[in-house]
Amino acid sequence: MPAKRTTVRDVRRHNRSTLLSTLFFDGPLSRHDLSRLTGLSAATVSNVTGELAEDGLVVEAGLVDSDGGRPRVLLRVNPQHAHVVGVDVGETGIRTELFDLALTRLTTVDRALPAGTPDPTEVAAHVAASVRAAIEQAGVAERGVLGVGVGVPGTVEQGRTAVVHAQAIGWGGVPLEELIRAEGITPPLFLENGAKTQGQAEMWFGAGRGASHVVIALLGSGVGAAVVTEGNVYRGSTSSAGEWGHTTIVYGGRPCRCGSRGCLEAYVGAGGVLDRYRRARGGRAVPGEDERAQLEHLVAAAERSAAATRVLDETAGYLGAGIANLVNLFNPQRIVLGGWAGLALGAQLLPRIEQATAAHALHHPYGQVSIELARLGPDAVAVGAATLPVAALLERGADPRRQPSSGADVA
Amino acid sequence: MPAKRTTVRDVRRHNRSTLLSTLFFDGPLSRHDLSRLTGLSAATVSNVTGELAEDGLVVEAGLVDSDGGRPRVLLRVNPQHAHVVGVDVGETGIRTELFDLALTRLTTVDRALPAGTPDPTEVAAHVAASVRAAIEQAGVAERGVLGVGVGVPGTVEQGRTAVVHAQAIGWGGVPLEELIRAEGITPPLFLENGAKTQGQAEMWFGAGRGASHVVIALLGSGVGAAVVTEGNVYRGSTSSAGEWGHTTIVYGGRPCRCGSRGCLEAYVGAGGVLDRYRRARGGRAVPGEDERAQLEHLVAAAERSAAATRVLDETAGYLGAGIANLVNLFNPQRIVLGGWAGLALGAQLLPRIEQATAAHALHHPYGQVSIELARLGPDAVAVGAATLPVAALLERGADPRRQPSSGADVA
DNA sequence: CGACCTTGTTTTAAGTCTTAAACTAAGCCC
DNA sequence: GGGCTTAGTTTAAGACTTAAAACAAGGTCG
């Protein structure tokens, strides 16, 4: 594997990327600030930012007086340079959002999916239609869209074209990227597992900001995790890393829908928690029309019901052990607890969860970690998906759509 | 933190590193081969290898006829350019080995440590003495030693100077690097957790060769893992990642020496296995003078004893669940089972372990992984430690000891 | 045995890139 | 206006890679 061919031109690409990323994440900055932050010389900063401005990627953003000297010109990424679309493909519906390049939301389109096992081609058609709807609603040209990120359930195998494996909904090797492409969507597509896009959103805009080793633990009907190592979402050899929900935590324990026993998901997934609560109530159904309402009922009942308290305490225990496993294996700086069930439980239980984690984790790694609640909520899958094309842009340091005025690749 | 490759000189460093690494791992190669393998132009290969040869890092290694053309000159890393030392600091003794740059072992020095909790200063003195002994035995100048790698029990926090945390032997924040330095060892020191150095050894010379996502699972008295992601040993935010032994696998289960309950180590560590066996025998002690002998007795007894068979089957089950957790979380290409207990058990149980892993892991990641036995045995800690200075050399592409004839850093 | 072919390695000339240093720009203060 | 300070640009030099040409060293074959 030839380690990324290194010619003198790659240096320019790399520096474009560094400067563009710094501007994106650390807001408007003067050329001087950029020089200080990146370690590049003032000459290079001037040269490269000039090129970026020529390409329309960067614009000036006002002046700042510097006491007794020439005022600084602030630069920032041009929010109008392009738009991006993020799609959240859930089991019951599709949410599509359109953003400018600064990831300010401009349009939202919701679409329900028919109940039952979704047909891949049908899903692709719905995705394509809602992407077009979002673009039209925003009054943007399709050519102006940098890329479309799609967060999907299940594992996304990143080959020449992305393929989705989702045992739970009966998708085994669905070539979803090709299917969407076949529906006539022209901008670049970026498919990724929804938990990972949600994790990416927390990293960029939520509780993960500033840290480079983070695990975003997501509790909903299912249980998953997005593992961030050295600032990047960890994928493993075939993109299916982070399947925290199906790690064994009670050997030989409760059966899990994956076919195994004792999985974490069977204990702290919404279904598992509610099932345990139902048993604690002597088999009586939990009030509430769906899992979400039922879980809220459980949390609210904790004040007056010993059974509810016990179930929640046990949940904190299991969850703490599960989190401790993450702490021991990944040694992160931060654990972010999210997902609708995670937020509902965490709001009440966080201290007890921390206590249980401390009891199960080794002292040294536990001493390095803080456990926090997610800031964005489960709706963040779409923004997270929209970050994917932006991340690609920042990494290249150039807009892949236009043939290079300057430093981009030609081959 | 400005990412590295920013000036035009870094390109040279990077290419030196690429070429040197390729020569190191893929044996003697002609300049032509190097050009093909690295994607660098023939001109650059010629230029850079010339420089490397001038620095004494690379030497010619014979000719090879090419049918009908100029014969190729083979190049290889010069094994005589420098020597490296690897030290394995165990709980009962220290093994020190000296290698040439091709990591061929030239000398071995063993030293016992007094029983009981080891005193850090004393250990440092023993390390220094045995390093000196190994150097002297080999008849090498201390200046000729590129570096000394030291594999230690516990977590190594890599700061300005390495600090060791090892709960088990009562080391809390021992500045071992400084202590060894104070004993008058002058070459660069590289401290790392012993499990991680052993994992590195398997990656370079054992069952991990060629793969980039591997978990090396080590079973001995303790249980640990070295996690390799994208070719590098994963450390986490403070180097204590990979504490697989203390992940919870039976919530509320057997007490573990770490103070928690239900840790994997309590079930599949040598002590845990033997304890379960003793109970299965109605409390009678297991024959054998130490854990190693007792475990061998257990494995041998499987043919005739139902109790032994049952204990081993259960062990395979627990271990399979533990390995499945690694598979689900890290999605590796390969799991390497090692450590003295791992090898003793794995020789008999591998099929049953695979079966149990399959039962607990998700289909998709399990389909991507193969489970193999380690090839090197537990003695590999020292070689693994010795790879550390070599890895540093390959990464720099230049010998840090000598002031640059050419492309090395000056600051 | 010498012209010609093949393959490997080195030299040459061109082009890209960063940087230090000199230089220009734009404000304040007296 | 002259000095002073800070921001940003231009210039000249040096480091690198590369394609192409040149050179090296063997074989083949008439």
Side-chain angles (χ1 to χ4, degrees):
Chain A
M1 209 146 302
K4 234 190 278 193
R5 182 140 51 118
T6 306
T7 97
V8 81
R9 242 170 156 153
D10 295 315
V11 177
R12 180 54 147 251
R13 271 196 269 283
H14 184 257
N15 287 342
R16 275 179 73 114
S17 167
T18 304
L19 288 171
L20 199 58
S21 302
T22 307
L23 280 177
F24 184 88
F25 289 111
D26 300 334
L29 293 167
S30 71
R31 293 175 174 82
H32 197 76
D33 296 332
L34 283 170
S35 174
R36 201 167 31 74
L37 257 56
T38 62
L40 291 168
S41 72
T44 299
V45 170
S46 207
N47 187 334
V48 175
T49 53
E51 221 176 75
L52 291 170
E54 211 169 275
D55 291 357
L57 275 162
V58 160
V59 290
E60 300 197 347
L63 298 184
V64 172
D65 283 5
S66 74
D67 32 27
R70 176 175 173 173
R72 293 168 258 191
V73 177
L74 294 183
L75 301 175
R76 70 166 169 204
V77 173
N78 179 5
Q80 307 307 320
H81 176 258
H83 294 85
V84 288
V85 177
V87 183
D88 175 3
V89 177
E91 304 196 5
T92 61
I94 293 176
R95 161 163 295 191
T96 303
E97 303 181 324
L98 186 142
F99 306 82
D100 67 15
L101 199 49
L103 287 172
T104 304
R105 177 170 29 247
L106 304 180
T107 315
T108 302
V109 172
D110 278 313
R111 239 165 196 261
L113 280 179
T117 306
D119 172 58
T121 312
E122 207 177 321
V123 169
H126 279 288
V127 168
S130 60
V131 167
R132 263 193 285 270
I135 290 174
E136 192 173 336
Q137 234 180 78
V140 171
E142 189 166 321
R143 292 212 61 92
V145 174
L146 181 69
V148 176
V150 185
V152 300
T155 299
V156 179
E157 203 167 351
Q158 308 281 0
R160 211 178 42 71
T161 162
V163 172
V164 181
H165 303 266
Q167 246 172 274
I169 54 174
W171 286 14
V174 169
L176 193 60
E177 180 171 349
E178 279 179 5
L179 293 176
I180 298 175
R181 179 74 66 215
E183 296 287 337
I185 295 294
T186 53
L189 289 167
F190 299 78
L191 273 69
E192 181 57 286
N193 164 270
K196 292 200 174 77
T197 68
Q198 198 176 334
Q200 174 111 328
E202 285 290 338
M203 291 305 295
W204 281 29
F205 307 112
R209 281 209 78 156
S212 56
H213 291 264
V214 179
V215 182
I216 293 102
L218 298 167
L219 270 59
S221 300
V223 172
V227 178
V228 175
T229 63
E230 267 131 52
N232 300 308
V233 175
Y234 177 66
R235 291 194 169 76
S237 72
T238 57
S239 313
S240 67
E243 285 291 356
W244 183 48
H246 300 286
T247 56
T248 302
I249 201 157
V250 185
Y251 185 83
R254 290 168 58 89
C256 175
R257 58 175 179 165
C258 77
S260 180
R261 286 175 158 277
C263 293
L264 181 65
E265 182 170 306
Y267 290 84
V268 304
V273 173
L274 291 171
D275 191 48
R276 295 203 335 271
Y277 185 38
R278 199 162 48 245
R279 282 166 198 242
R281 285 161 60 89
R284 283 179 301 130
V286 181
E289 62 176 10
D290 61 4
E291 281 189 336
R292 213 178 273 226
Q294 290 172 346
L295 196 69
E296 264 160 34
H297 176 270
L298 164 59
V299 171
E303 284 179 13
R304 52 184 199 282
S305 154
T309 304
R310 204 176 61 248
V311 168
L312 287 178
D313 276 345
E314 286 168 8
T315 303
Y318 292 122
L319 187 51
I323 292 175
N325 287 356
L326 295 174
V327 170
N328 284 338
L329 284 173
F330 291 106
N331 180 212
Q333 298 165 268
R334 212 173 286 170
I335 298 273
V336 175
L337 181 60
W340 63 266
L343 289 171
L345 293 169
Q348 294 291 318
L349 294 179
L350 193 54
R352 272 176 281 175
I353 293 169
E354 283 175 332
Q355 213 177 313
T357 304
H360 286 92
L362 291 177
H363 300 335
H364 185 257
Y366 181 74
Q368 309 297 323
V369 80
S370 67
I371 305 181
E372 298 179 21
L373 291 184
R375 300 231 180 92
L376 300 181
D379 300 340
V381 172
V383 213
T387 65
L388 297 174
V390 178
L393 174 74
L394 295 181
E395 203 174 330
R396 288 176 165 266
D399 190 329
R401 292 172 309 166
R402 97 180 47 196
Q403 241 30 354
S405 74
S406 39
D409 42 356
V410 183
Chain B
M1 211 103 323
K4 258 296 122 126
R5 189 156 60 262
T6 80
T7 102
V8 82
R9 243 171 155 151
D10 296 313
V11 176
R12 179 56 146 247
R13 267 196 274 282
H14 183 258
N15 288 341
R16 276 179 71 115
S17 167
T18 303
L19 288 170
L20 199 57
S21 302
T22 308
L23 279 178
F24 184 87
F25 289 110
D26 299 333
L29 292 168
S30 72
R31 293 176 174 82
H32 196 76
D33 297 331
L34 283 171
S35 174
R36 200 168 32 75
L37 257 56
T38 61
L40 292 167
S41 72
T44 300
V45 170
S46 202
N47 188 334
V48 175
T49 53
E51 220 176 78
L52 290 170
E54 210 171 275
D55 291 357
L57 276 162
V58 160
V59 289
E60 300 197 347
L63 299 183
V64 172
D65 283 6
S66 73
D67 31 28
R70 176 173 172 174
R72 293 169 253 195
V73 178
L74 295 182
L75 301 175
R76 69 165 170 204
V77 172
N78 179 6
Q80 307 306 321
H81 173 78
H83 294 84
V84 288
V85 177
V87 184
D88 173 4
V89 177
E91 304 196 4
T92 60
I94 293 176
R95 161 164 296 190
T96 303
E97 302 181 323
L98 186 140
F99 306 81
D100 67 18
L101 199 50
L103 287 171
T104 303
R105 177 168 31 244
L106 303 180
T107 316
T108 303
V109 172
D110 278 313
R111 240 166 196 259
L113 281 178
T117 305
D119 172 58
T121 311
E122 207 175 323
V123 169
H126 278 289
V127 169
S130 59
V131 168
R132 263 192 284 271
I135 290 175
E136 192 172 337
Q137 236 179 76
V140 171
E142 188 164 323
R143 291 212 63 91
V145 174
L146 180 68
V148 177
V150 186
V152 300
T155 299
V156 179
E157 200 165 355
Q158 309 281 0
R160 211 178 41 70
T161 162
V163 172
V164 181
H165 304 265
Q167 244 172 277
I169 54 173
W171 286 14
V174 169
L176 191 60
E177 180 172 348
E178 279 178 5
L179 293 177
I180 297 175
R181 180 73 67 217
E183 297 286 337
I185 296 295
T186 53
L189 288 167
F190 299 79
L191 273 68
E192 182 57 285
N193 165 270
K196 293 200 174 76
T197 68
Q198 197 176 334
Q200 173 111 328
E202 285 291 338
M203 290 306 295
W204 282 29
F205 307 112
R209 281 208 77 155
S212 56
H213 291 265
V214 180
V215 182
I216 293 102
L218 297 168
L219 271 60
S221 301
V223 172
V227 178
V228 174
T229 63
E230 268 131 52
N232 300 308
V233 174
Y234 177 68
R235 293 197 166 74
S237 73
T238 55
S239 313
S240 67
E243 285 290 357
W244 182 49
H246 300 286
T247 56
T248 302
I249 200 153
V250 184
Y251 186 82
R254 291 167 57 90
C256 176
R257 59 175 179 167
C258 76
S260 179
R261 285 174 159 278
C263 294
L264 181 64
E265 181 171 306
Y267 290 84
V268 304
V273 173
L274 291 171
D275 190 46
R276 295 201 337 270
Y277 185 39
R278 199 163 47 243
R279 283 166 199 241
R281 287 161 57 92
R284 282 179 301 131
V286 181
E289 62 176 9
D290 60 5
E291 281 188 337
R292 213 176 272 225
Q294 291 172 347
L295 195 70
E296 264 158 35
H297 176 270
L298 163 60
V299 172
E303 284 178 18
R304 52 184 200 283
S305 153
T309 303
R310 203 176 62 248
V311 168
L312 287 179
D313 277 344
E314 286 168 9
T315 302
Y318 291 122
L319 186 52
I323 291 175
N325 286 356
L326 295 174
V327 170
N328 283 339
L329 285 173
F330 292 106
N331 181 213
Q333 300 164 266
R334 213 174 283 171
I335 299 271
V336 175
L337 180 59
W340 62 266
L343 289 172
L345 292 169
Q348 294 292 315
L349 295 180
L350 193 55
R352 273 177 280 176
I353 293 169
E354 283 177 332
Q355 214 177 311
T357 304
H360 286 92
L362 291 177
H363 299 334
H364 186 256
Y366 182 72
Q368 309 296 325
V369 79
S370 67
I371 306 180
E372 298 179 21
L373 291 184
R375 299 232 180 91
L376 299 181
D379 300 339
V381 172
V383 213
T387 65
L388 297 174
V390 178
L393 174 74
L394 295 181
E395 201 173 332
R396 289 176 165 266
D399 191 329
R401 291 173 308 170
R402 94 180 46 193
Q403 239 33 357
S405 74
S406 40
D409 43 355
V410 183

